[in-house]
Amino acid sequence: MKQYFLLFLLSLVFSSSSIAQDIPASRQMFHEKIDKARSRIDLLDGNEDKFYHATSLQQLNEKISRLMYGSVDNLIKEVEKNDSLDNNSKIKYLRGIAEMFDGFYNGYRYGRLLPLQITSVIESFLESTEREMKGETVFPVVEKHDFEIGQILTSNFIFQQDAELVRANDLIVLKQCLRFPHRILPILTNNPDNRYADSLIIIAAKRDPEELYNYASAYNALAKKIGKVEDTLVHFISTLARMKAGRQYFPFLDNLYRGKITIEQVDNATDNEITYYKLLAATQVDYAGRLLKGDTPVVMETLTNRLKQKAVEVFINQINGLHEEKDAIRFKILDKLTGPELYYLAVLGETEMYTSSYVSGIYPKMFQNMKIPRSDTLLNLVNYDHFKKFIKVAANYNTLDDFLKRMEKENAIALMKAFVNNLDKTKSLEDAVDVADSYASIKDKELSALILKEVEENFAAAKTTKARTIYGILNTIFKSKDSVGKNNMFERLGIPPVYYMPNALLKDSSGKIIIQQFFYGDKDGETVFNSFIRQFKAMGWKMTSAPEWVVMSSTGKGTPVYIYSNRPLDTEKDLDEKAQEALGKYLASKEMYPTVIIHRGHSYYTNSTIRQIPESAKVVFLGSCGGYNNLNDVLSICPTAHIISSKQVGSGLINLPLINAMADDLRKGQNLNWPQIWKALSLKLKGNESWEDYIPPHKNLGAIFIMAYSKAEEDMFTQQQP
């Protein structure tokens, strides 16, 4: 308190008001601006008492306050008492002092400066002002401080005539770009003539070539600057950016600027979609091989995205669209592709291809077109690129056993070990989810035991939180896979059990359960819709009709259940989509929120249904082929939803009995007990091969993994909070 009192007296002695009587009216305004700017900072701690509590350290706060009120007032006094300065010169310094305080205040207000940095702001300003009075440049001061401090100095009125001002501003831009390399090009857009621009553009080219391509294709000063940089990579990017079809060449950028391929060679390939796809696939294999050697090609992600785009547009869309044709016609276009080229259709077209497109076409043809039809040979040919994704695809479509049998047993063991290892080394959880999904599909007990052993060993050796979390969850899930109801897996994972869905959780505030079905207006859609209506009428459900939808409501005692279904109107005219939209709006207007969603269309309509799933959904039934591949999309909308799906063929002969069983249990007020429902239907559907590919919620291991990991992250975040 004594120190504070002395400081207070000191501030009175040296305050600008103490010399106010000597100040002419022309400068009084600037003293008032200084006092106002300084008071705003003083008030940041809640009290205007000429003592700025910038930190929790009293000694440091005293130093800051001495600078604000002692050192700065000393400078004010020096300016006012200096007879060698004319009136305009004194105004210059007084204005600069006010701007210095305003510079800190604005920097703090917009999050660019911390409270403690006022020390650097004032000290650097005082040093720079002293240098300026001696006729020296402020550059050395800018050089030793962060760019935020430098910006306050070089923008200050006092230093606008500094001989090194341009050089100092260039240095500030350099410091800013090096601190935020992802912002180099946006920063240089406003500073294209910066003396360090060439070096910074080269850094930007290596960090994100595609971003540089976008900036190089603009019509501004920075684009011209990029075009003049003497660097091979930058030169090629700039050249492609100025070409009409530059995007076609861009995936090959790494090989182009290294001289491994010419623009003419790419030109020759772009005339034909299949030839272009083949060149993309060959380049992908080349880049994957370099990755194995620790050499990361530029724009590899761009190449992979373009390869996927062409795989879907040129091949998968065509063979999907011909699903009703004979195989010889449907898969004729695949005859032109090699094993590796077909491999990329499988791994990159996973979410778009129909089950039959893979099982009957892509997978078997991989080996038909190989001189040596071995699966390890195929993986060698693609440099093991995306091999974990391929294993997941093969497992989901029940071709993994066949794939592993096409190589020596020791190679198969090594492959599956590699499949499980290093799941914590990637940015996303995709590989870990793939391992969880695949484990659920493997019927070979020896192979399952191998994967479980690898998971256990990785868990025991885990050194990071991410590794312990991933392998800990997988270990718990896998050990519980074959002991449903006899373990505390969900309790250990900290997520709600998915063995059953409580009836009460599906009811709305009025006690009703709302189910929404999505039908589509093709020939199969009309057949399935009519079958549904007949079945539920026969079961005694009441039907209410509207122009674009129907409602089937339960009758008698029990829980009232309402099944809203859009009519399968002409899909060619998008009438089915309009009917779905109208039904959705109607339900929302009546504040009826579906808790059960059922998709009743082909797999190519699945994404349309998923886009319309409400957050209220707690059970989602994807009745189409390959619905199992859409788990992540559903969980991104409803993180704890119970999902029913098929790995392969979705069948109306299965979907309707399953819907009947669910609706009947809900009507009776019973919970949806998935193990019991599956047990009963397994007897009823015995002999139907497609039933084996339907996965109930408690066996959706990928979905369970995602739920558990999200919960673990939430727990970690909570524990870190004060």
Side-chain angles (χ1 to χ4, degrees):
M1 186 60 110
K2 189 173 182 181
Q3 287 176 316
Y4 173 78
F5 182 70
L6 290 173
L7 180 62
F8 179 72
L9 290 178
L10 184 66
S11 70
L12 290 178
V13 171
F14 291 108
S15 66
S16 56
S17 60
S18 67
I19 53 174
Q21 63 227 20
D22 301 325
I23 301 173
S26 60
R27 297 201 300 275
Q28 186 64 46
M29 176 182 68
F30 293 97
H31 282 270
E32 292 172 358
K33 286 186 175 182
I34 291 172
D35 289 340
K36 184 178 179 180
R38 187 160 44 185
S39 294
R40 286 200 304 174
I41 297 172
D42 193 359
L43 272 169
L44 289 175
D45 60 10
N47 297 302
E48 187 176 3
D49 54 6
K50 295 189 176 181
F51 192 89
Y52 179 31
H53 293 80
T55 73
S56 60
L57 300 174
Q58 182 71 4
Q59 209 170 7
L60 193 53
N61 293 337
E62 290 173 0
K63 176 185 176 182
I64 291 171
S65 300
R66 281 196 299 272
L67 283 169
M68 286 178 62
Y69 291 99
S71 301
V72 172
D73 282 348
N74 280 339
L75 175 60
I76 294 171
K77 182 179 179 181
E78 180 183 342
V79 169
E80 289 293 354
K81 297 297 184 182
N82 192 334
D83 295 334
S84 66
L85 297 175
D86 60 20
N87 186 59
N88 287 337
S89 296
K90 291 182 179 183
I91 288 175
K92 177 180 76 169
Y93 290 113
L94 294 174
R95 175 179 170 179
I97 293 169
E99 286 186 359
M100 178 269 295
F101 281 125
D102 284 337
F104 169 77
Y105 179 81
N106 291 327
Y108 171 78
R109 182 182 176 191
Y110 294 107
R112 295 190 295 268
L113 293 172
L114 297 171
L116 177 61
Q117 287 182 283
I118 191 171
T119 304
S120 297
V121 171
I122 296 175
E123 288 179 341
S124 64
F125 175 79
L126 294 174
E127 182 182 356
S128 298
T129 302
E130 183 181 355
R131 293 181 65 86
E132 196 275 344
M133 287 180 172
K134 295 177 181 178
E136 298 173 355
T137 177
V138 300
F139 183 83
V141 185
V142 172
E143 192 173 30
K144 66 182 179 181
H145 284 280
D146 290 337
F147 75 84
E148 293 93 345
I149 308 299
Q151 285 174 332
I152 292 175
L153 293 175
T154 59
S155 63
N156 194 282
F157 184 69
I158 294 175
F159 312 115
Q160 294 312 296
Q161 302 304 315
D162 191 294
E164 297 275 12
L165 187 64
V166 173
R167 183 183 170 208
N169 279 323
D170 284 349
L171 180 61
I172 289 169
V173 169
L174 173 64
K175 290 184 176 185
Q176 190 176 9
C177 289
L178 294 179
R179 172 100 65 84
F180 304 110
H182 62 287
R183 293 182 54 206
I184 287 176
L185 296 176
I187 293 170
L188 288 181
T189 299
N190 298 320
N191 303 276
D193 296 323
N194 185 283
R195 70 188 64 215
Y196 306 105
D198 286 19
S199 298
L200 290 170
I201 288 169
I202 293 171
I203 293 172
K206 293 176 180 178
R207 192 194 70 82
D208 191 342
E210 190 150 13
E211 183 188 35
L212 186 69
Y213 178 97
N214 294 333
Y215 276 85
S217 61
Y219 295 95
N220 56 25
L222 179 58
K224 291 179 181 178
K225 182 70 173 178
I226 292 171
K228 296 177 181 178
V229 175
E230 295 182 0
D231 176 81
T232 308
L233 177 59
V234 175
H235 170 73
F236 260 99
I237 294 174
S238 181
T239 300
L240 296 181
R242 292 195 299 269
M243 295 174 66
K244 187 176 180 179
R247 286 288 179 191
Q248 290 280 78
Y249 306 92
F250 197 67
F252 311 101
L253 175 63
D254 198 282
N255 281 346
L256 281 170
Y257 96 88
R258 291 175 185 270
K260 293 184 176 181
I261 192 173
T262 65
I263 287 178
E264 289 72 25
Q265 287 174 301
V266 179
D267 267 335
N268 294 334
T270 56
D271 293 336
N272 182 282
E273 292 278 31
I274 295 177
T275 306
Y276 185 63
Y277 173 79
K278 284 176 171 287
L279 181 59
L280 287 168
T283 308
Q284 178 79 18
V285 171
D286 177 33
Y287 286 6
R290 287 170 53 188
L291 276 176
L292 290 177
K293 298 174 182 177
D295 176 17
T296 303
V298 296
V299 301
M300 182 157 188
E301 185 176 350
T302 302
L303 169 67
T304 304
N305 290 338
R306 181 60 58 84
L307 180 60
K308 176 179 180 177
Q309 177 192 349
K310 292 302 176 183
V312 174
E313 288 178 356
V314 180
F315 301 99
I316 291 176
N317 285 348
Q318 178 171 324
I319 61 178
N320 283 350
L322 297 173
H323 66 279
E324 294 182 352
E325 297 288 345
K326 293 181 179 179
D327 286 356
I329 297 174
R330 181 183 182 186
F331 299 122
K332 185 174 179 58
I333 193 172
L334 302 184
D335 293 340
K336 301 175 182 180
L337 301 182
T338 63
E341 291 159 358
L342 288 161
Y343 173 90
Y344 283 116
L345 294 185
V347 295
L348 299 179
E350 174 199 12
T351 57
E352 284 84 6
M353 65 186 173
Y354 297 171
T355 301
S356 56
S357 295
Y358 171 82
V359 174
S360 303
I362 295 172
Y363 180 73
K365 283 184 176 291
M366 281 183 197
F367 301 104
Q368 288 178 12
N369 296 335
M370 289 177 62
K371 292 181 180 179
I372 304 175
R374 288 172 56 94
S375 50
D376 48 356
T377 301
L378 175 63
L379 291 175
N380 279 320
L381 288 173
V382 298
N383 288 314
Y384 285 81
D385 189 28
H386 289 82
F387 80 94
K388 292 190 178 185
K389 178 62 66 179
F390 182 80
I391 290 175
K392 184 246 186 172
V393 171
N396 284 353
Y397 290 114
N398 290 334
T399 59
L400 181 58
D401 286 345
D402 177 78
F403 186 78
L404 294 177
K405 288 176 182 176
R406 291 174 179 265
M407 66 176 79
E408 299 295 334
K409 188 171 183 178
E410 56 268 25
N411 290 349
I413 291 173
L415 178 67
M416 295 310 294
K417 285 184 176 182
F419 177 57
V420 175
N421 293 336
N422 298 316
L423 300 179
D424 57 309
K425 300 296 192 299
T426 58
K427 294 181 181 179
S428 72
L429 294 175
E430 187 175 2
D431 285 353
V433 174
D434 287 348
V435 169
D437 282 338
S438 303
Y439 190 82
S441 307
I442 295 171
K443 297 180 175 63
D444 187 319
K445 292 184 178 180
E446 189 176 345
L447 183 56
S448 296
L450 171 65
I451 293 176
L452 178 57
K453 181 183 177 184
E454 285 299 307
V455 166
E456 289 175 330
E457 290 180 356
N458 274 279
F459 181 45
K463 295 181 180 179
T464 66
T465 301
K466 184 177 181 181
R468 285 193 296 271
T469 304
I470 288 175
Y471 286 107
I473 293 172
L474 290 177
N475 190 40
T476 300
I477 292 174
F478 292 173
K479 286 184 175 179
S480 306
K481 176 177 176 283
D482 300 319
S483 53
V484 173
K486 298 178 182 178
N487 59 75
N488 60 348
M489 175 179 73
F490 294 99
E491 183 180 337
R492 290 174 63 191
L493 294 176
I495 60 175
V498 292
Y499 298 133
Y500 64 90
M501 172 57 69
N503 189 287
L505 285 182
L506 299 176
K507 294 178 181 178
D508 61 15
S509 57
S510 66
K512 296 182 294 187
I513 293 178
I514 307 299
I515 299 174
Q516 185 177 1
Q517 279 193 114
F518 289 82
F519 285 95
Y520 291 84
D522 54 16
K523 184 177 179 181
D524 290 338
E526 293 178 14
T527 301
V528 171
F529 177 81
N530 292 331
S531 177
F532 164 74
I533 298 298
R534 286 195 303 270
Q535 182 85 20
F536 273 75
K537 278 185 175 180
M539 292 165 55
W541 288 57
K542 178 185 175 182
M543 177 176 169
T544 305
S545 295
E548 294 179 297
W549 67 81
V550 299
V551 188
M552 303 300 297
S553 53
S554 61
T555 56
K557 296 180 180 180
T559 300
V561 179
Y562 295 81
I563 306 177
Y564 286 83
S565 307
N566 67 279
R567 292 183 181 276
L569 305 179
D570 192 347
T571 193
E572 296 294 330
K573 299 178 181 178
D574 294 329
L575 297 182
D576 50 359
E577 186 176 330
K578 291 177 181 177
Q580 292 166 0
E581 184 179 352
L583 176 55
K585 288 180 178 179
Y586 171 78
L587 292 173
S589 69
K590 299 296 182 181
E591 295 187 348
M592 293 188 291
Y593 305 106
T595 52
V596 180
I597 297 295
I598 303 173
H599 170 68
R600 298 301 306 275
H602 286 295
S603 58
Y604 38 90
Y605 296 124
T606 306
N607 287 334
S608 177
T609 295
I610 291 175
R611 283 195 298 269
Q612 301 177 74
I613 292 176
E615 293 181 3
S616 58
K618 291 181 171 58
V619 176
V620 177
F621 178 17
L622 302 178
S624 62
C625 298
Y628 192 74
N629 295 313
N630 301 98
L631 300 184
N632 289 356
D633 295 332
V634 174
L635 291 172
S636 67
I637 302 169
C638 321
T640 59
H642 291 197
I643 306 173
I644 303 167
S645 58
S646 172
K647 288 187 176 181
Q648 294 198 42
V649 178
S651 169
L653 297 176
I654 294 173
N655 293 341
L656 192 52
L658 184 48
I659 293 168
N660 290 346
M662 291 165 55
D664 196 46
D665 283 352
L666 294 177
R667 178 186 63 81
K668 293 175 181 176
Q670 298 176 359
N671 300 329
L672 294 178
N673 187 310
W674 303 120
Q676 287 184 9
I677 291 174
W678 245 250
K679 184 177 180 181
L681 286 175
S682 293
L683 294 174
K684 188 174 183 178
L685 298 171
K686 190 176 182 180
N688 189 324
E689 294 181 3
S690 296
W691 171 244
E692 295 298 321
D693 294 318
Y694 275 70
I695 309 300
H698 61 284
K699 292 189 177 180
N700 258 333
L701 302 191
I704 293 172
F705 176 87
I706 294 171
M707 290 183 199
Y709 194 89
S710 298
K711 181 63 169 60
E713 278 194 320
E714 181 183 321
D715 290 345
M716 283 187 284
F717 178 79
T718 302
Q719 291 168 8
Q720 290 168 2
Q721 300 311 298

